[in-house]
Amino acid sequence: MAAVWPRRLALVVAPAYGESFASWVDRMALRNGCPPWAMVEALGLDVRAASDVRSLAYGVVTRPETRRAVEAATGVSSETARGMHLEVFDGSVLDLAGVRVGDEESVRRAEGRERAQFFGSRVCPTCLAASGGVWLTWWKLGWAAVCPEHRTLLVDLCPRCRVSVRRGPAGRPARLSRSRMPALLRCGALLSGAVCDQPIPQISTSSVSSRFADQQQLVLEVATHRRPALIAGQVVSAGQWFAVLKATAMLVRLGVPEVLPLLDAPLDSQGALAAEARGQRWNRAGSVGRFGMAPRTVLVAAGLLAVALEVAAAEGESELVARLMPLAAAARMRWKERRPDLLTPAALPPVVRAALEAVLGGQAGRP
């Protein structure tokens, strides 16, 4: 049976460069005067039997037939539609090979494993105001901490309701609304039936140095294959590069609080790492991540990123060992039975595996 494509929409909003799929759908909904659920149906996504966007892998991965439906409805190319999903980072920052549209369990497992917010987002209030409500895909990454253009920390919590930005009611994944129109510039979290109307452009944020802004830009360029990935002077794949960042972050977390004085990171980030180690809760979405999990706050992400990139910037194997050695010494004081396997990531390049073996004295793996 031949596929039945959706009708061409009369009112189409062109996607902005780097815009997330959910953001584009919201802007399309506003342009067409309908709620997001109706807009998604008009684009050809089968949402009639779905009660939760989790089961759709909404904005995470997409199928070829869905992209063809979007192109039929809007004229937006299949390649552009794919680029608005997190899968654009598959193979570099993320591993989404096992995520299947319509399989809620595969989405749930990947959300817990990967360093990204599948159903939430960080945000630069200044960028959002300037664009009139465009939410960027890279803001959803766990390594997203700084706006390179404005040199400010991103925002992850609404200061009024204390819910993760764009996450949903009380930190749960938001469903596609059948009745409410999107509020692109407002928090919009549902709390006991009330809607948080905090204007996001009015949320204040903190300035950072040009060095931290440049580090975030480096992450984005490696993630999108616009810059070669280098570890200890050797060219590696983007996936290997991010595996090194993750292993270094695990080592740092193991050594808190002894490791904190050794870190070349903002003091606020050091405090956030210490609070994370004490098991404090940051918001209603749940407890903060531990050793191998994604940074749950901007401050934790900024601190881990600053240290991990300094390690990755070592110019040779001996310098790599020297930069890892003090982190390993602090970790030994704390790891005990909590120690994860730092060599588990299969993508670690040989030079890093050798350096970890050297600094951990053959104790890089589990007992």
Side-chain angles (χ1 to χ4, degrees):
M1 180 181 297
V4 178
W5 302 119
R7 293 189 306 170
R8 181 63 179 262
L9 296 170
L11 302 176
V12 175
V13 175
Y17 179 76
E19 184 173 14
S20 72
F21 186 70
S23 172
W24 179 62
V25 168
D26 283 352
R27 294 198 302 125
M28 284 282 290
L30 285 173
R31 184 70 177 90
N32 285 270
C34 64
W37 183 284
M39 191 70 253
V40 166
E41 279 194 312
L43 293 174
L45 276 71
D46 184 8
V47 295
R48 289 169 296 178
S51 61
D52 195 321
V53 294
R54 275 181 185 271
S55 62
L56 297 173
Y58 183 67
V60 182
V61 298
T62 185
R63 293 181 293 205
E65 56 267 30
T66 301
R67 298 196 296 269
R68 288 195 293 269
V70 169
E71 185 168 5
T74 65
V76 172
S77 71
S78 177
E79 180 181 358
T80 299
R82 181 182 181 274
M84 290 189 281
H85 289 70
L86 278 172
E87 65 181 303
V88 74
F89 299 109
D90 189 25
S92 59
V93 189
L94 307 174
D95 178 6
L96 302 176
V99 179
R100 296 179 297 278
V101 176
D103 183 345
E104 182 174 356
E105 181 61 22
S106 73
V107 177
R108 186 192 63 78
R109 287 196 303 267
E111 186 186 14
R113 179 188 70 240
E114 296 302 322
R115 297 195 165 211
Q117 299 187 62
F118 283 13
F119 302 102
S121 179
R122 291 166 184 162
V123 62
C124 170
T126 306
C127 285
L128 191 71
S131 67
V134 172
W135 293 74
L136 302 181
T137 306
W138 78 265
W139 288 343
K140 299 170 74 69
L141 297 176
W143 292 117
V146 172
C147 174
E149 179 180 356
H150 298 108
R151 297 182 181 180
T152 55
L153 284 175
L154 300 181
V155 170
D156 50 12
L157 288 181
C158 171
R160 180 173 298 179
C161 67
R162 303 304 295 171
V163 168
S164 297
V165 177
R166 298 281 278 190
R167 178 71 183 179
R172 296 188 299 274
R175 296 180 180 182
L176 294 169
S177 177
R178 296 174 182 265
S179 57
R180 281 198 306 137
M181 297 297 289
L184 304 179
L185 298 176
R186 294 184 181 273
C187 171
L190 290 172
L191 302 169
S192 302
V195 179
C196 179
D197 62 354
Q198 167 67 46
I200 292 177
Q202 294 179 13
I203 299 176
S204 61
T205 186
S206 303
S207 299
V208 299
S209 68
S210 58
R211 181 168 73 90
F212 290 121
D214 291 344
Q215 287 179 332
Q216 184 72 80
Q217 185 64 35
L218 169 63
V219 168
L220 295 178
E221 292 182 2
V222 173
T224 52
H225 308 285
R226 288 179 289 155
R227 185 186 297 196
L230 296 175
I231 297 291
Q234 301 180 19
V235 177
V236 299
S237 70
Q240 289 177 316
W241 195 79
F242 280 102
V244 173
L245 298 194
K246 182 176 181 179
T248 306
M250 291 168 70
L251 191 60
V252 170
R253 279 170 158 163
L254 283 169
V256 175
E258 281 77 9
V259 75
L260 295 179
L262 307 175
L263 304 184
D264 186 10
L267 290 177
D268 288 348
S269 293
Q270 295 182 28
L273 283 165
E276 178 189 77
R278 291 193 298 268
Q280 292 185 358
R281 289 179 178 267
W282 283 88
N283 57 51
R284 301 181 188 183
S287 59
V288 295
R290 295 302 295 275
F291 309 116
M293 296 179 66
R296 296 303 193 197
T297 69
V298 162
L299 285 173
V300 171
L304 294 176
L305 189 60
V307 180
L309 288 178
E310 286 300 313
V311 170
E315 295 184 358
E317 185 172 354
S318 60
E319 186 176 339
L320 180 62
V321 170
R323 294 189 181 191
L324 286 171
M325 189 68 76
L327 304 181
R332 283 197 193 92
M333 301 175 65
R334 285 283 169 178
W335 66 25
K336 298 180 182 178
E337 72 280 357
R338 304 178 304 163
R339 169 167 48 96
D341 186 352
L342 298 178
L343 297 183
T344 294
L348 282 177
V351 64
V352 176
R353 298 181 72 88
L356 284 172
E357 291 283 6
V359 301
L360 296 173
Q363 297 178 329
R366 292 189 185 278

